[in-house]
């Protein structure tokens, strides 16, 4: 596992996300109330970018078909999504946000 | 919950599959039988004209649940079997294998079947339709680089097939009877925006014309249009709408809407038909929508899923109205189009962003209310577009058009 610098904390506003690509891995980096989290960016239901989704109550709603995932745990919240989304550890050092992959 | 014993669902498509799941989700512990004409497990159809046709999605990915799910949840699947007749008085359904299955409550989720082309040559080899998995798997190998494809019908399905075929290197012509593509469901200006996206990708679109005949010896060779244009083709794909599979209900004396594409099994806001203990949902249901205050039939994934869940719950729990703003999406090339509402009339459009550049929203307005909206690569805004349609709150055109003002704030 290696830590990758993916953003400055100031870059991602609260309840917003940034998409980054590390190797072949598409990652969505979220800011939830000042805490940062990272998940696979691609929905488990269809090919859609979760970083373009709507964030509310700690969940991200897929912009394509409204499947919802818990951002902290990756848990699928019910139809149409059944498969959880992968999550990645995040470390904040000063104003640097690192994702470990 | 009552002492209900047995629920039968006719049609194991997206609606039937989600309904069975929702019955168990609601705690129903009786017998659940899902009868489906197709041999496949319940699945989602949208990829059939998109990723599955393009060959970028695995077949297993379209199924709602694996086979083990049905065993584990004690849902009896009768696949490859069709329901022939509903015997209301006897509380049973007669099946194609000469058996019958008894029900205390029945859901009809028979969806629709494609409208067939009726012109001379329509039965030639090389004429395809897309409604089920088999259709897609038959067509897919034909869509090779350089193959000439005529798509009959410029609705969503036709345009999606056109986009997929184009991406696979085919030469594609879309033939649309109306003056613009998407004429049945969108303002001509919205149709023109979508048509331009297709033009830019090299799709040829012929409007105001239909197919007079298809020629060829056994295989299709030429499509002759009513405007005199002749197209040399290798493959013809027809996407001219569906007819609701309402006959089984109509023959049992259950009330249906008008015949044809507008028909369907008439249900109230709870999904209840005119017959006691008989419900309908999904594409086949001509249902009352309390938000729009009218009956309508929808052909959309969102309605299949959400009406299935709502109506299934109403079959076993205290009834709650199924009341949602209609929602539909389509993917064509790199455009994700999403539609909120199902307006029949509007007096003007308001544009936000730049839909022509594939990032923007077109609002359908009646007075100071949003009655519908089409979003171009703006999926994130859908919840606010639905909310605007649902509440009918008065809004300013200038606010909607101003990208500096968040829709989330405008929708309140
Ligand atoms: C190619 C394609 C692409 C689509 N793309 C989109 C999209 O991008 N977005 C969107 O919102 N919607 C889309 N849709 C629409 C969406 O898929 C449908 O609205 C949805 O499938 C409806 O589900 P349903 O279960 O009500 O009907 P259906 O899917 O038609 O299923 C009904 C099932 O019942 C079976 N049946 C019928 N009669 C009987 C009988 N007597 N006995 C037993 N079984 C019976 C049928 O064989 C069928 O399997 C698309 C549809 C197609 C065909």
């Amino acid at each position: 596992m290696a830590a990758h610098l993916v953003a400055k904390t100031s870059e991602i506003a609260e309840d917003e996300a940034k998409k980054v690509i590390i190797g072949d891995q598409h990652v969505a980096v979220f800011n939830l109330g000042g805490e940062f989290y990272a998940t696979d960016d691609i929905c488990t239901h269809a090919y859609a970018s979760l970083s373009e989704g709507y964030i509310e109550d700690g969940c991200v709603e897929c912009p394509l078909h409204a499947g919802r995932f818990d951002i902290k745990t990756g848990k699928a919240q019910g139809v149409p999504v059944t498969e959880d989304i992968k999550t990645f550890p995040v470390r904040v050092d000063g104003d640097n946000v690192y994702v470990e992959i | 919950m009552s002492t209900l014993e047995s629920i039968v669902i006719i049609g194991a498509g997206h609606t039937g599959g989600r309904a069975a799941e929702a019955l168990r989700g609601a705690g129903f512990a009786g017998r659940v039988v899902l009868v489906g004409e197709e041999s496949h497990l319940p699945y989602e159809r949208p990829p059939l004209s998109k990723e599955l046709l393009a060959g970028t999605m695995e077949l297993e990915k379209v199924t709602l649940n694996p086979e083990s799910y049905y065993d584990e949840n004690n849902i009896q699947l009768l696949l490859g079997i069709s329901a022939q007749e509903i015997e209301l008085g006897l509380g049973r359904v007669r099946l194609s294998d000469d058996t019958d299955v008894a029900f205390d409550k029945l859901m009809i989720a028979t969806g629709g079947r494609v409208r067939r082309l009726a012109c001379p040559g329509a039965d030639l080899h090389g004429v395809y339709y897309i409604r089920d998995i088999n259709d897609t798997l038959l067509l897919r190998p034909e869509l090779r680089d350089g193959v000439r494809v005529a798509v009959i019908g410029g609705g969503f399905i036709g345009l999606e097939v056109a986009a997929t075929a184009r991406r696979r290197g085919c030469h594609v012509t879309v033939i649309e009877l109306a003056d613009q593509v998407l004429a049945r469901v969108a303002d001509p200006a919205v149709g023109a925006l979508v048509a331009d996206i297709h033009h830019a990708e090299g799709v040829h679109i012929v409007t105001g014309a239909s197919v007079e005949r298809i020629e060829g010896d056994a295989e299709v060779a030429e499509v002759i249009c009513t405007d005199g244009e002749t197209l040399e083709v290798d493959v013809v794909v027809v996407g001219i709408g569906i007819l609701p599979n309402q006959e089984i209900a109509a023959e049992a004396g259950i009330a249906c809407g008008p015949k044809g594409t507008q028909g369907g099994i008439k249900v109230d806001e709870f999904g209840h038909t005119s017959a006691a203990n008989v419900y309908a949902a999904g594409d086949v249901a001509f249902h009352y929508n309390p938000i729009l205050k009218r009956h309508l039939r929808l052909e959309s994934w969102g309605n299949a899923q959400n009406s299935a869940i709502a109506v299934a719950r109403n079959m076993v729990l205290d009834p709650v109205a199924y009341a949602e703003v209609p929602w539909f999406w389509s993917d064509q090339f790199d455009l994700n189009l999403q539609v909120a509402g199902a307006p029949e009339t509007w007096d003007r459009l308001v544009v936000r962003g730049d839909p022509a550049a594939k990032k923007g929203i077109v609002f359908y307005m009646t007075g100071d209310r949003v009655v519908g909206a089409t979003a171009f690569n703006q999926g994130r805004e859908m919840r606010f577009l639905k909310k605007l349609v649902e509440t009918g709150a008065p809004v300013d055109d200038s606010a909607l058009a101003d990208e500096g003002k968040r829709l989330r704030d405008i929708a309140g």
Side-chain angles (χ1 to χ4, degrees):
Chain A
M1 227 157 36
H4 303 264
L5 177 62
V6 293
K8 294 278 176 201
T9 51
S10 58
E11 235 179 283
I12 310 174
E14 213 163 287
D15 282 350
E16 294 283 342
K18 178 187 177 182
K19 172 190 183 140
V20 294
I21 300 175
I22 302 168
D24 325 325
Q25 179 68 55
H26 291 230
V27 178
V29 186
F30 299 91
N31 176 347
L32 292 184
E35 302 280 337
F36 291 82
Y37 300 89
T39 70
D40 192 334
D41 188 44
I42 308 300
C43 181
T44 55
H45 171 252
Y47 196 85
S49 185
L50 293 175
S51 53
E52 287 167 26
Y54 178 74
I55 298 159
E56 188 182 58
D57 301 332
C59 287
V60 60
E61 182 180 271
C62 176
L64 278 195
H65 310 141
R68 284 162 65 87
F69 299 94
D70 184 301
I71 291 168
K72 295 183 189 175
T73 62
K75 248 196 141 24
Q77 301 293 297
V79 295
V81 290
T82 45
E83 197 184 321
D84 298 347
I85 201 100
K86 231 190 286 172
T87 59
F88 304 103
V90 174
R91 187 163 51 81
V92 179
D93 191 355
D95 57 358
N96 290 333
V97 182
Y98 296 89
V99 170
E100 288 181 20
I101 284 185
Chain B
M1 196 167 312
S2 65
T3 53
L4 241 165
E5 288 297 323
S6 183
I7 293 182
V8 172
I9 302 170
I10 305 179
H14 190 187
T15 302
R18 287 289 181 226
E21 202 182 72
L23 287 173
R24 290 295 181 232
F28 177 69
R31 185 177 182 213
V32 176
V33 184
L34 190 50
V35 184
E37 201 158 35
E38 291 184 67
S39 57
H40 303 282
L41 292 168
Y43 62 93
E44 299 184 24
R45 290 180 205 276
L48 270 48
S49 49
K50 312 179 186 72
E51 302 94 324
L52 194 69
L53 186 61
T56 56
M57 186 188 267
E58 305 286 315
L59 189 54
E60 303 76 68
K61 189 87 180 153
V62 305
T63 57
L64 298 182
N65 288 297
E67 192 157 9
S68 56
Y69 170 87
Y70 298 93
D71 294 339
E72 283 157 19
N73 289 278
N74 195 20
I75 295 165
Q76 195 180 340
L77 277 174
L78 300 179
L79 299 182
I81 291 176
S82 69
Q84 301 286 302
E85 188 187 352
I86 300 168
E87 297 175 309
L88 280 181
L90 298 171
R92 67 183 194 197
V93 179
R94 209 161 46 71
L95 305 179
S96 56
D97 64 354
D98 280 335
T99 61
D100 38 59
V101 53
F103 64 84
D104 296 297
K105 292 196 175 181
L106 178 69
M107 177 188 278
I108 307 172
T110 47
R113 59 182 180 278
V114 293
R115 276 183 63 208
R116 303 234 149 219
L117 203 60
C119 70
D123 50 3
L124 281 171
H125 196 72
V127 178
Y128 295 85
Y129 294 82
I130 293 206
R131 182 70 190 173
D132 61 37
I133 283 181
N134 301 347
D135 295 334
T136 295
L137 296 183
L138 274 176
L139 174 60
R140 188 164 76 187
E142 303 300 321
L143 301 182
R144 294 181 308 270
D145 200 26
V147 164
R148 298 161 304 175
V149 179
V151 175
I152 320 281
F156 282 116
I157 301 283
L159 292 176
E160 289 176 0
V161 171
T164 303
R166 187 74 197 113
R167 277 285 148 92
R168 284 175 68 101
C170 301
H171 301 293
V172 182
T173 304
V174 176
I175 302 164
E176 167 56 47
L177 181 62
D179 292 332
Q180 188 49 271
V181 298
L182 300 179
R184 198 167 60 91
V185 290
D187 188 274
V190 172
L193 285 164
V194 176
D196 282 342
I197 288 165
H198 278 259
H199 291 144
E201 296 277 357
V203 174
H204 180 47
I205 298 177
V206 179
T207 55
S210 69
V211 178
E212 195 174 281
R213 61 183 195 279
I214 303 173
E215 299 213 325
D217 315 319
E219 292 272 338
V220 297
E222 282 181 346
V223 170
I224 289 100
C225 300
T226 48
D227 66 353
E229 186 162 348
T230 296
L231 302 167
E232 293 188 1
V233 298
D234 304 302
V235 171
V236 175
V237 187
V238 185
I240 55 172
I242 67 164
L243 296 169
N245 291 324
Q246 69 194 55
E247 291 76 8
I248 194 165
E251 284 159 14
I254 297 169
C256 290
K259 271 219 161 69
T261 53
Q262 291 306 309
I265 302 170
K266 200 163 180 181
V267 299
D268 62 16
E269 65 268 46
F270 306 107
H272 203 216
T273 69
S274 63
N277 296 322
V278 181
Y279 298 75
D283 276 16
V284 79
F286 181 59
H287 63 283
Y288 183 76
N289 181 313
I291 299 172
L292 305 180
K293 298 190 174 54
R294 63 182 173 98
H295 277 85
L296 79 167
R297 203 171 62 71
L298 295 171
E299 297 165 8
S300 81
W301 177 97
N303 177 60
Q305 171 181 284
N306 295 342
S307 71
I309 295 170
V311 176
R313 292 179 65 84
N314 287 345
M315 292 172 81
V316 296
L317 301 174
D318 287 340
V320 177
Y322 169 58
E324 291 186 8
V325 172
W327 165 46
F328 179 85
W329 87 84
S330 172
D331 295 308
Q332 300 160 33
F333 301 109
D334 53 356
L335 171 67
N336 169 251
L337 205 72
Q338 297 201 31
V339 181
E344 295 180 296
T345 56
W346 50 92
D347 49 48
R348 66 188 185 286
L349 302 177
V350 171
V351 177
R352 177 183 177 96
D354 190 356
K358 293 179 253 184
K359 199 112 194 145
I361 297 168
V362 180
F363 295 92
Y364 291 68
M365 308 295 296
T366 294
D368 57 3
R369 292 183 304 120
V370 175
V371 291
T374 303
F376 292 66
N377 289 332
Q378 296 278 290
R380 191 202 288 237
E381 307 288 4
M382 285 315 291
R383 54 167 53 227
F384 308 119
L385 300 183
K386 288 183 201 167
K387 191 164 176 197
L388 282 167
V389 174
E390 176 163 3
T391 62
V395 282
D396 268 348
D397 289 12
S398 58
L400 291 174
D402 181 355
E403 285 191 283
K405 295 204 166 67
R406 298 196 307 175
L407 289 177
R408 138 190 228 167
D409 298 332
I410 298 172

